[in-house]
Structures are given as structure tokens and as C-alpha cells.
Amino acid sequence: EIARGDRRKWELDMGANARAIDRVIPESVGGYPVNYGFVPQTVSYDGDPFDALVLGPAIDGGQTVRGVVVGLMYMVDEKGLDSKVVLSLRTAGGQPLHELSAGDQQRIAEYFRRYKAYDIGAYSKVPGWGAVAEGVALVDRTHAFFLQCRERSGQPCTIDR
């Protein structure tokens, strides 16, 4: 959805199957420190697709990429749990091109702690990081929930905690 460095907060309008700008992040906060998107065919705790952070150079919004899970960023905002799986693009052999370093974790967490500072009534906290296995488990769980939700046509679908 959002290229690294972009200050525009794009969202996917599921009904229209199109991207739309939700808001613009203030210049003082800066652009996203990592590519931001979602994992297709997942439903997360907030009812939206599960968020993904993709390491590496900027990727134009609207692109589909294949990645390897390299971690998990725990995040809580005004709506509740909003964790994000961290991915790396992969080599032809399926290995990650980028590792999630301690420096990456610090830079990404700091951004997500302050990127809602100018939104009235909104907040975000990053209480920590999870391992690869935790990221994979959440992708699997949110995909399984997507499959369950798909069968409930027309009814709201939120994941049980």
C-alpha cells in the first residue's frame, strides 16, 4: 500500500478494490521507514487484512510481492491489537534478502510510536518484537480466520482474541 519514504497513508478500500489516501503524515514525523502493506486473504483483530512491513528499498504502492517472514512487531492502538508481520523480499532460493536488525527495530518502532501523534483521539504503542515463528503463526491464524469469514457473507467479521 505504502512505499518506504511516502508520507501519504494509503488504505485499500475493500468494497471498491482500490487504494485511497486516508491521511498525510506530517512532515515533522516523516515518511514511512519501511514499505507497508497487507497479507492477502487474511483478517486481523481489527477486521482488516493483516498488516505487513516489507524491508528493503521503496516498492511502489499497489504492487504484490512475495516475502519471507523475518519477525513480528507488536503494536497496540486506539482500536486494540494491531501487530504487523515483518517480511523481507526473497532470493530465487527462497532466502530473505534482508535481515531485521536491532537498528531496523528501533527505527521502525520509533516511527510507529509517533506517527499518530497529530491524530486527535488516536495513539499507538510498540511494546516489543516477536520471533519469526510468532509472525508465521499470526499469518496462519489470520488466514484461517479469513477462510471462516468468507463463509459468513454479509455479516461483520472480527477475530476472537
Side-chain angles (χ1 to χ4, degrees), residues 17-109:
N17 195 27
R19 292 177 356 146
I21 295 176
D22 178 61
R23 65 184 182 276
V24 176
I25 305 297
E27 193 171 328
S28 61
V29 174
Y32 279 76
V34 64
N35 297 292
Y36 183 102
F38 64 91
V39 180
Q41 296 190 348
T42 60
V43 175
S44 193
Y45 296 98
D46 58 5
D48 291 334
F50 189 39
D51 294 330
L53 305 176
V54 183
L55 300 173
I59 300 168
D60 288 339
Q63 302 295 312
T64 300
V65 299
R66 290 184 181 259
V68 177
V69 176
V70 294
L72 178 70
M73 182 180 80
Y74 292 110
M75 191 173 113
V76 178
D77 66 14
E78 70 281 356
K79 297 175 193 165
L81 187 62
D82 194 18
S83 298
K84 291 148 184 13
V85 68
V86 183
L87 306 171
S88 169
L89 299 178
R90 60 188 195 167
T91 65
Q95 299 301 313
L97 285 172
H98 307 280
E99 296 298 323
L100 178 60
S101 70
D104 290 331
Q105 289 177 337
Q106 182 178 359
R107 180 174 45 83
I108 293 167

